[in-house]
């Protein structure tokens, strides 16, 4: 099993450009999450999904959109990138059967917006 | 408002000694707590967790203690090894919809020879 994979690993954008980050998991997990990590801030939840076709806002959703068309994939979109979106983005997934399961994280995408 | 706080940004410990990492929280609804370990350029990996109905959970060299009245938890690593050098994140969940996690800001542990 590959676990949670993220594409791409690195990306540099100019202000105003758009892009999509792809997260894929092969563990048949129901729940998926997108976080961003900034220096001194820990990980903050952007959006999450409790199942195929459903998404919800997290703590810092502004400027991002998400889609979960297939159970194994969770896409994070930036429609018009801003320098404030320079960050490391992590995707995570977990089983939804019980409340107390850990989340499994991908390796991250480092995004720089110039 | 930081609901999960790790007040020590860094900690240096000698190999073989005990490492103690601390975490405080403010939300009384949190009922499940986790520790994650993160190496540079990698995603966080789950280390150990504890439910609010317990006050201690042990897994090999790692033990997590929970003091609900003080809203405080700690991670003990004994003995510490150089491979333990990483950033450690404390996280908490209220068990609600999707069991979202709230993370602390992390503590960088360096285990020296």
């Amino acid at each position: 099993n590959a676990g949670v994979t993220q594409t791409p690993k690195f990306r540099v954008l100019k202000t105003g450009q758009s892009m999509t980050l792809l997260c894929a998991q092969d563990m048949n997990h129901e729940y998926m999450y997108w976080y961003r990590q900034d220096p001194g801030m820990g990980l903050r939840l952007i959006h999450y999904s409790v199942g195929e076709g459903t998404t919800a806002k997290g703590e810092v959703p502004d400027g991002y959109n998400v889609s979960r068309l297939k159970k194994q994939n969770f896409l994070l979109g930036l429609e018009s990138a801003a320098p404030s979106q320079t960050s490391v983005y992590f995707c995570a997934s977990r089983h939804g059967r019980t409340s107390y399961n850990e989340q499994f994280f991908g390796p991250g995408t480092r995004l720089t917006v110039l | 408002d930081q609901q999960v706080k790790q007040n020590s940004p860094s900690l240096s410990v000698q190999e073989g000694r005990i490492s103690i990492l601390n975490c405080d929280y403010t939300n009384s609804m949190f009922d499940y707590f986790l520790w994650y370990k993160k190496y540079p350029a990698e995603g966080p990996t789950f280390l150990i967790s504890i439910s609010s109905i317990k006050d201690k959970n042990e897994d090999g060299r790692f033990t997590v203690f929970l003091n609900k009245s003080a809203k405080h938890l700690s991670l003990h690593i004994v003995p510490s090894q150089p491979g333990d050098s990483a950033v450690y994140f404390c996280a908490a969940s209220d068990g609600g919809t999707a069991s979202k996690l709230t993370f602390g800001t992390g503590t960088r542990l360096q285990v020296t020879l």
Side-chain angles (χ1 to χ4, degrees), chain B residues 8-21:
Chain B
S8 298
S10 63
L11 175 67
S12 183
V13 172
Q14 271 191 322
E15 181 181 11
R17 302 273 193 172
I18 184 171
S19 296
I20 300 176
L21 294 87

PDB file of all heavy atoms in Angstrom, chain B residues 8-21:
ATOM      1  N   SER B   8       6.991  25.104  24.668  1.00  0.00           N
ATOM      2  CA  SER B   8       8.427  24.976  24.455  1.00  0.00           C
ATOM      3  C   SER B   8       8.700  24.725  22.979  1.00  0.00           C
ATOM      4  O   SER B   8       8.426  23.634  22.484  1.00  0.00           O
ATOM      5  CB  SER B   8       8.994  23.829  25.287  1.00  0.00           C
ATOM      6  OG  SER B   8       8.810  24.057  26.657  1.00  0.00           O
ATOM      7  N   PRO B   9       9.248  25.698  22.267  1.00  0.00           N
ATOM      8  CA  PRO B   9       9.518  25.493  20.836  1.00  0.00           C
ATOM      9  C   PRO B   9      10.606  24.456  20.596  1.00  0.00           C
ATOM     10  O   PRO B   9      10.614  23.793  19.563  1.00  0.00           O
ATOM     11  CB  PRO B   9       9.978  26.864  20.348  1.00  0.00           C
ATOM     12  CG  PRO B   9       9.584  27.821  21.396  1.00  0.00           C
ATOM     13  CD  PRO B   9       9.537  27.063  22.689  1.00  0.00           C
ATOM     14  N   SER B  10      11.507  24.300  21.575  1.00  0.00           N
ATOM     15  CA  SER B  10      12.600  23.351  21.363  1.00  0.00           C
ATOM     16  C   SER B  10      13.040  22.745  22.682  1.00  0.00           C
ATOM     17  O   SER B  10      12.825  23.307  23.757  1.00  0.00           O
ATOM     18  CB  SER B  10      13.781  24.038  20.670  1.00  0.00           C
ATOM     19  OG  SER B  10      14.304  25.058  21.479  1.00  0.00           O
ATOM     20  N   LEU B  11      13.678  21.576  22.552  1.00  0.00           N
ATOM     21  CA  LEU B  11      14.154  20.840  23.715  1.00  0.00           C
ATOM     22  C   LEU B  11      15.373  20.039  23.293  1.00  0.00           C
ATOM     23  O   LEU B  11      15.359  19.398  22.236  1.00  0.00           O
ATOM     24  CB  LEU B  11      13.056  19.890  24.209  1.00  0.00           C
ATOM     25  CG  LEU B  11      13.383  18.941  25.359  1.00  0.00           C
ATOM     26  CD1 LEU B  11      13.602  19.735  26.637  1.00  0.00           C
ATOM     27  CD2 LEU B  11      12.258  17.937  25.557  1.00  0.00           C
ATOM     28  N   SER B  12      16.420  20.084  24.124  1.00  0.00           N
ATOM     29  CA  SER B  12      17.625  19.308  23.831  1.00  0.00           C
ATOM     30  C   SER B  12      17.871  18.348  24.976  1.00  0.00           C
ATOM     31  O   SER B  12      17.871  18.750  26.147  1.00  0.00           O
ATOM     32  CB  SER B  12      18.831  20.240  23.645  1.00  0.00           C
ATOM     33  OG  SER B  12      19.973  19.493  23.301  1.00  0.00           O
ATOM     34  N   VAL B  13      18.073  17.070  24.647  1.00  0.00           N
ATOM     35  CA  VAL B  13      18.235  16.025  25.658  1.00  0.00           C
ATOM     36  C   VAL B  13      19.394  15.123  25.244  1.00  0.00           C
ATOM     37  O   VAL B  13      19.602  14.866  24.048  1.00  0.00           O
ATOM     38  CB  VAL B  13      16.941  15.194  25.779  1.00  0.00           C
ATOM     39  CG1 VAL B  13      17.133  13.992  26.675  1.00  0.00           C
ATOM     40  CG2 VAL B  13      15.800  16.062  26.284  1.00  0.00           C
ATOM     41  N   GLN B  14      20.126  14.637  26.221  1.00  0.00           N
ATOM     42  CA  GLN B  14      21.216  13.703  25.921  1.00  0.00           C
ATOM     43  C   GLN B  14      20.668  12.306  25.651  1.00  0.00           C
ATOM     44  O   GLN B  14      19.660  11.887  26.255  1.00  0.00           O
ATOM     45  CB  GLN B  14      22.191  13.645  27.100  1.00  0.00           C
ATOM     46  CG  GLN B  14      23.302  14.672  27.048  1.00  0.00           C
ATOM     47  CD  GLN B  14      24.373  14.389  28.092  1.00  0.00           C
ATOM     48  OE1 GLN B  14      24.075  13.968  29.201  1.00  0.00           O
ATOM     49  NE2 GLN B  14      25.617  14.637  27.741  1.00  0.00           N
ATOM     50  N   GLU B  15      21.351  11.620  24.767  1.00  0.00           N
ATOM     51  CA  GLU B  15      20.992  10.244  24.461  1.00  0.00           C
ATOM     52  C   GLU B  15      20.942   9.419  25.745  1.00  0.00           C
ATOM     53  O   GLU B  15      21.822   9.524  26.606  1.00  0.00           O
ATOM     54  CB  GLU B  15      22.017   9.642  23.497  1.00  0.00           C
ATOM     55  CG  GLU B  15      21.716   8.205  23.085  1.00  0.00           C
ATOM     56  CD  GLU B  15      22.759   7.630  22.144  1.00  0.00           C
ATOM     57  OE1 GLU B  15      23.828   8.272  21.979  1.00  0.00           O
ATOM     58  OE2 GLU B  15      22.501   6.565  21.569  1.00  0.00           O
ATOM     59  N   GLY B  16      19.893   8.599  25.876  1.00  0.00           N
ATOM     60  CA  GLY B  16      19.753   7.743  27.042  1.00  0.00           C
ATOM     61  C   GLY B  16      18.935   8.361  28.162  1.00  0.00           C
ATOM     62  O   GLY B  16      18.443   7.648  29.033  1.00  0.00           O
ATOM     63  N   ARG B  17      18.797   9.694  28.127  1.00  0.00           N
ATOM     64  CA  ARG B  17      18.019  10.379  29.163  1.00  0.00           C
ATOM     65  C   ARG B  17      16.537  10.395  28.787  1.00  0.00           C
ATOM     66  O   ARG B  17      16.150   9.994  27.686  1.00  0.00           O
ATOM     67  CB  ARG B  17      18.518  11.808  29.313  1.00  0.00           C
ATOM     68  CG  ARG B  17      19.977  11.913  29.666  1.00  0.00           C
ATOM     69  CD  ARG B  17      20.182  11.850  31.136  1.00  0.00           C
ATOM     70  NE  ARG B  17      21.542  12.248  31.527  1.00  0.00           N
ATOM     71  CZ  ARG B  17      21.920  12.424  32.772  1.00  0.00           C
ATOM     72  NH1 ARG B  17      21.046  12.290  33.760  1.00  0.00           N
ATOM     73  NH2 ARG B  17      23.161  12.759  33.067  1.00  0.00           N
ATOM     74  N   ILE B  18      15.716  10.918  29.684  1.00  0.00           N
ATOM     75  CA  ILE B  18      14.289  11.030  29.416  1.00  0.00           C
ATOM     76  C   ILE B  18      13.986  12.358  28.731  1.00  0.00           C
ATOM     77  O   ILE B  18      14.551  13.397  29.088  1.00  0.00           O
ATOM     78  CB  ILE B  18      13.463  10.893  30.724  1.00  0.00           C
ATOM     79  CG1 ILE B  18      11.967  10.909  30.430  1.00  0.00           C
ATOM     80  CG2 ILE B  18      13.832  11.998  31.698  1.00  0.00           C
ATOM     81  CD1 ILE B  18      11.113  10.570  31.648  1.00  0.00           C
ATOM     82  N   SER B  19      13.125  12.312  27.716  1.00  0.00           N
ATOM     83  CA  SER B  19      12.608  13.531  27.086  1.00  0.00           C
ATOM     84  C   SER B  19      11.166  13.697  27.547  1.00  0.00           C
ATOM     85  O   SER B  19      10.387  12.735  27.513  1.00  0.00           O
ATOM     86  CB  SER B  19      12.631  13.414  25.558  1.00  0.00           C
ATOM     87  OG  SER B  19      13.945  13.309  25.068  1.00  0.00           O
ATOM     88  N   ILE B  20      10.827  14.900  27.958  1.00  0.00           N
ATOM     89  CA  ILE B  20       9.447  15.194  28.374  1.00  0.00           C
ATOM     90  C   ILE B  20       8.944  16.376  27.569  1.00  0.00           C
ATOM     91  O   ILE B  20       9.486  17.481  27.645  1.00  0.00           O
ATOM     92  CB  ILE B  20       9.365  15.510  29.878  1.00  0.00           C
ATOM     93  CG1 ILE B  20       9.859  14.324  30.695  1.00  0.00           C
ATOM     94  CG2 ILE B  20       7.915  15.847  30.261  1.00  0.00           C
ATOM     95  CD1 ILE B  20       9.903  14.572  32.191  1.00  0.00           C
ATOM     96  N   LEU B  21       7.916  16.121  26.774  1.00  0.00           N
ATOM     97  CA  LEU B  21       7.309  17.164  25.959  1.00  0.00           C
ATOM     98  C   LEU B  21       5.922  17.462  26.512  1.00  0.00           C
ATOM     99  O   LEU B  21       5.161  16.556  26.816  1.00  0.00           O
ATOM    100  CB  LEU B  21       7.213  16.731  24.495  1.00  0.00           C
ATOM    101  CG  LEU B  21       8.549  16.552  23.761  1.00  0.00           C
ATOM    102  CD1 LEU B  21       9.101  15.154  23.954  1.00  0.00           C
ATOM    103  CD2 LEU B  21       8.376  16.843  22.277  1.00  0.00           C
TER     104      LEU B  21
END
